[in-house]
Amino acid sequence: MIASAATTAGRPDQPFDVCIVGSGPAGITVARSLPKSLSVALVEAGGFDYEADSQKSYEGDTVGLPPDYLSTTRSRLFGGSSFCWGGVCRPLDAYDMERKDWLPASIAWPFGREELLPYYDRASQLLGLQSFFADGRDRRALTRDGGHSEGLVLIPFQHSDPTMRFGTEFRDELVRAENITLFLHANAMAFDSAPNGDVRALELVDKAKQRSTISARYFVLATGGIENARILLNSTNAHPAGLGNRHDQLGRYFMSHTPIWGAGQIVFADSPARDMEGRLRATKGRICLSLDDDIKRRERLLNLGLALQYGRRQRLYRGERQVARLREQLLKLGIGLNLGAGDSGNNDFVERAVAGFAKSTGQGEAALFSFFALPEAVPDPDNRVTLSNRSDDYGIRRVSVRFQTSEQEAQNLERSLALIANRLGGQALGRVRIEFNAHDPATRVADQHHMGTTRMHDDPRRGVVDRDCIVHGTRNLYVAGSSVFPSAGFVNPTFTIIALAHRIADHLARSVLHQGGASHG
Amino acid sequence: MAKWPKLDRRKFLLLVSGLGVALGAGGVATGVLVFSGGNPLLPGFRLDPDALLHVAEKYFASHPTEKSAEFLERELLAAVAPSGAGASLVDALAAAVRRDFDTRNTVVLDGWILSRTEVRVWVLQALK
């Protein structure tokens, strides 16, 4: 059922069992996973379609990020940021979830990876993927002719294909669901909480700027890594610094991945190359080369994936042949042009050598792969979401986000790359070419993965939510999404967001049902 | 440890420059070189001749003291010495290359992270 926020908000005397704020992959997954006996309010700030006016509420102030970063890296409509999701799926590694004692702001997840495995499998089922954990699919040592290999692993990713747009996929189901009331154009302003920590209601403002509240027994905040912090920071009626912010943790440790496109090339010896090509075909183009966890622990390295690109090599080869033919034809006409690769005036040795190789040997099996680098996102308390002095059109204070990478990260990245290169060379598996400067801040630009602003830790002095994703100091407010990630590895976060959302739904259902069952619905 | 027999410079150069043939056809083109796919240790000595000159130019620009066939020959003989006299030159160089990576004795050329020994083999050919 679709309802108007201004007219149909749950009354204090008849609260919803659960109010979910945000209808992205996290919010929709929680809503769909809860027992049908529970009444659910699903609150979305946007409509069913993109609306520029609504999206404008995402604008804010930035430091170290492009000015339009906040409004262009997420989607404010039913289905949320699944509309800007690339569909790339991969669980976090065990190493990602460990505390790195040499990294000052690092904390461990409150539970190990095994806790998430059943939820990752549920996420796989939802997205139509194979389990990552059957038949050793999770990772595989890079070997030559099946022999022993030390230190290098291949890490496969899967794609949601076509990429699941949650708003499109589940719109009819959720609108028809008898236990779910969908509020569109309902902008969450703040939570109304009691001094004892109970959240009583969600304050809303609609498109016409009419205010209302939704009462519920439990709340789930699922509005993304930046908005989750924004709404909690704006929730000051009983907690002046914001809800869950007694120890000044809220909004801190904002993380984003900083992929380095066109980072370099790897040439593989024949045997690993054939293996790699088969795997790349099977995974539709995404497989990462990485160091194994033991080496990373020993060397104190951040995680790093080198995403190999199979297609580039093929295109490069065909392009060379075309360029060569064109050049020959032009030369016959007495026309000499710099045609890029292969031309005598071009100093790009890679392109020249590939052209020369192809022509001299007639072989098209040059196992040259380009790669982009995916460094681990790093928690830093100074990278944070705070409230701006400016407000949006609904009177809700905007955010200010600071994000900068460190020299330590650059050095760590260089060491990882050198180790990968040395492992490949030392085992006669291949050679690596690096085509970027890790120390140039312009190389490392934040992407659309917003993580870590309400991170998970059992100690409220070190985190905002506990191991069950309940905000410290509250009893009935959960946070869903990547804002709870204490660390983020190098993999895309959506798959873990969906897994955690299943886990939250299970915990929430137990909580509601153990405390008197459903109130209505 | 057995030492490699004393080779005269001409014989050594012939051996080194003949490695491409010894390693067989097939392989992988990269920025500056063609890696042999036939060699299980991938020392990769078969080069596009133009690219080889570029490698030498770049290497000598950053390592001017090595622009000497005598120096390179001496260093390469030292590099292969641990393999002992019984090993073939190809195997000994391949082992030296592997050792270079294990000990991080590498050179960065045009972005490629390469074994110092393999680079010295190439630039020696260019000097020839």
Side-chain angles (χ1 to χ4, degrees):
Chain A
M1 167 171 70
I2 302 176
S4 157
T7 58
T8 323
R11 301 195 314 267
D13 60 337
Q14 194 178 28
F16 287 94
D17 288 316
V18 180
C19 173
I20 301 169
V21 190
S23 68
I28 283 181
T29 299
V30 173
R32 294 184 70 249
S33 303
L34 288 171
K36 304 298 180 225
S37 59
L38 302 184
S39 62
V40 175
L42 181 56
V43 177
E44 169 53 48
F48 283 130
D49 299 307
Y50 172 83
E51 296 168 31
D53 282 349
S54 177
Q55 188 77 13
K56 272 174 61 182
S57 287
Y58 276 162
E59 293 173 1
D61 305 325
T62 59
V63 177
L65 295 164
D68 62 352
Y69 178 81
L70 296 172
S71 57
T72 57
T73 56
R74 44 197 180 145
S75 305
R76 204 168 193 262
L77 72 162
F78 182 72
S81 290
S82 67
F83 285 100
C84 54
W85 179 37
V88 180
C89 296
R90 164 81 202 167
L92 288 166
D93 291 342
Y95 183 70
D96 296 327
M97 301 172 72
E98 298 169 3
R99 176 171 175 255
K100 298 168 179 70
D101 56 10
W102 45 271
L103 197 62
S106 171
I107 56 173
W109 286 56
F111 43 79
R113 191 189 195 223
E114 43 307 326
E115 165 73 16
L116 287 181
L117 300 189
Y119 301 106
Y120 274 135
D121 275 345
R122 283 167 67 179
S124 293
Q125 287 167 14
L126 176 70
L127 298 167
L129 309 176
Q130 295 179 317
S131 168
F132 277 93
F133 312 112
D135 307 323
R137 283 195 211 110
D138 188 29
R139 59 177 54 214
R140 184 164 160 177
L142 176 63
T143 61
R144 186 176 181 86
D145 298 328
H148 180 64
S149 170
E150 288 182 0
L152 295 169
V153 291
L154 296 175
I155 296 179
F157 286 65
Q158 294 184 62
H159 278 68
S160 166
D161 184 30
T163 300
M164 184 175 282
R165 308 302 179 196
F166 280 65
T168 307
E169 185 78 20
F170 299 115
R171 172 176 167 170
D172 290 345
E173 175 191 319
L174 292 170
V175 167
R176 281 201 305 266
E178 290 185 0
N179 68 314
I180 294 175
T181 304
L182 174 60
F183 296 88
L184 295 174
H185 300 110
N187 298 277
M189 301 178 70
F191 289 104
D192 171 43
S193 62
N196 71 356
D198 280 357
V199 175
R200 296 177 293 215
L202 173 70
E203 297 170 359
L204 299 169
V205 56
D206 71 8
K207 219 173 173 181
K209 299 182 182 173
Q210 284 188 282
R211 295 192 176 195
S212 60
T213 59
I214 290 180
S215 299
R217 298 166 65 197
Y218 288 88
F219 294 84
V220 179
L221 179 59
T223 56
I226 294 170
E227 291 301 285
N228 281 354
R230 179 188 185 188
I231 293 169
L232 292 175
L233 285 165
N234 271 311
S235 300
T236 56
N237 77 302
H239 306 87
L243 203 48
N245 199 25
R246 189 173 163 200
H247 298 283
D248 191 26
Q249 295 289 294
L250 179 57
R252 293 190 182 274
Y253 311 104
F254 171 69
M255 296 180 284
S256 179
H257 289 124
T258 54
I260 300 161
W261 309 106
Q265 295 171 309
I266 299 180
V267 59
F268 285 102
D270 275 0
S271 172
R274 277 197 297 274
D275 182 51
M276 205 85 61
E277 288 182 12
R279 285 166 181 279
L280 283 168
R281 285 194 189 98
T283 57
K284 299 194 174 174
R286 173 71 67 89
I287 190 165
C288 281
L289 177 66
S290 187
L291 292 163
D292 77 20
D293 291 351
D294 288 342
I295 291 183
K296 284 180 283 208
R297 285 190 192 96
R298 190 172 65 237
E299 300 286 335
R300 298 185 161 196
L301 293 171
L302 296 165
N303 210 344
L304 170 69
L306 304 185
L308 305 171
Q309 293 178 290
Y310 169 68
R312 161 117 168 103
R313 180 176 70 78
Q314 296 292 342
R315 284 198 299 277
L316 200 150
Y317 172 63
R318 283 199 295 271
E320 289 298 336
R321 297 187 71 164
Q322 289 160 359
V323 167
R325 276 202 297 274
L326 180 58
R327 184 185 305 106
E328 285 171 15
Q329 290 165 7
L330 289 170
L331 285 172
K332 282 178 187 170
L333 296 171
I335 301 170
L337 288 176
N338 184 342
L339 295 172
D343 189 88
S344 59
N346 189 292
N347 286 326
D348 189 323
F349 300 140
V350 177
E351 317 258 333
R352 285 191 57 195
V354 170
F357 173 75
K359 277 190 285 191
S360 65
T361 67
Q363 296 184 17
E365 292 304 315
L368 179 65
F369 294 76
S370 59
F371 69 84
F372 52 94
L374 300 170
E376 175 176 350
V378 175
D380 176 346
D382 293 330
N383 286 340
R384 64 187 298 198
V385 174
T386 53
L387 291 178
S388 163
N389 290 325
R390 301 186 298 130
S391 298
D392 66 14
D393 290 347
Y394 305 103
I396 305 169
R397 283 179 73 183
R398 296 183 184 277
V399 290
S400 176
V401 182
R402 177 197 185 274
F403 178 80
Q404 280 167 342
T405 58
S406 70
E407 181 59 20
Q408 182 192 17
E409 291 171 59
Q411 290 171 3
N412 203 294
L413 175 58
E414 278 192 330
R415 283 205 294 128
S416 291
L417 287 164
L419 268 176
I420 290 172
N422 290 335
R423 292 273 163 179
L424 281 170
Q427 296 174 76
L429 293 166
R431 300 286 188 275
V432 178
R433 184 191 202 189
I434 310 298
E435 296 178 291
F436 69 96
N437 177 4
H439 302 277
D440 179 359
T443 300
R444 306 199 52 204
V445 179
D447 69 3
Q448 72 275 26
H449 303 156
H450 309 143
M451 303 168 288
T453 57
T454 66
R455 70 180 187 171
M456 197 185 333
H457 197 284
D458 285 336
D459 182 346
R461 291 168 299 184
R462 306 199 69 189
V464 175
V465 302
D466 66 14
R467 64 178 56 226
D468 298 318
C469 298
I470 297 173
V471 174
H472 284 299
T474 77
R475 186 190 50 81
N476 61 344
L477 173 58
Y478 291 77
V479 177
S482 49
S483 65
V484 305
F485 290 9
S487 56
F490 69 82
V491 302
N492 307 53
T494 300
F495 191 61
T496 299
I497 290 171
I498 295 169
L500 277 175
H502 279 107
R503 184 173 176 272
I504 287 170
D506 280 5
H507 191 275
L508 183 51
R510 285 196 301 272
S511 298
V512 176
L513 296 174
H514 287 170
Q515 292 187 7
S519 60
H520 67 224
Chain B
M1 183 178 295
K3 286 192 174 178
W4 268 74
K6 176 72 178 168
L7 294 175
D8 65 42
R9 182 182 166 216
R10 184 177 159 276
K11 193 172 177 184
F12 187 81
L13 287 173
L14 277 173
L15 272 170
V16 169
S17 61
L19 284 173
V21 177
L23 293 171
V28 172
T30 72
V32 291
L33 50 112
V34 178
F35 287 116
S36 167
N39 186 314
L41 289 174
L42 197 74
F45 299 124
R46 204 158 61 84
L47 288 171
D48 173 310
D50 290 339
L52 186 148
L53 292 175
H54 282 287
V55 172
E57 189 180 322
K58 286 209 165 228
Y59 186 70
F60 290 139
S62 54
H63 301 78
T65 58
E66 294 201 17
K67 196 174 183 180
S68 150
E70 287 77 12
F71 173 86
L72 293 168
E73 184 186 326
R74 192 168 60 247
E75 292 297 316
L76 286 170
L77 282 170
V80 298
S83 292
S88 74
L89 181 59
V90 172
D91 290 344
L93 282 170
V97 168
R98 190 169 52 192
R99 207 160 42 242
D100 279 350
F101 282 111
D102 288 343
T103 58
R104 306 185 188 187
N105 184 24
T106 54
V107 175
V108 178
L109 272 185
D110 204 26
W112 288 100
I113 299 172
L114 302 166
S115 142
R116 188 174 295 279
T117 298
E118 69 184 337
V119 172
R120 282 174 170 160
V121 170
W122 306 331
V123 299
L124 180 59
Q125 292 178 76
L127 280 183
K128 186 186 70 160

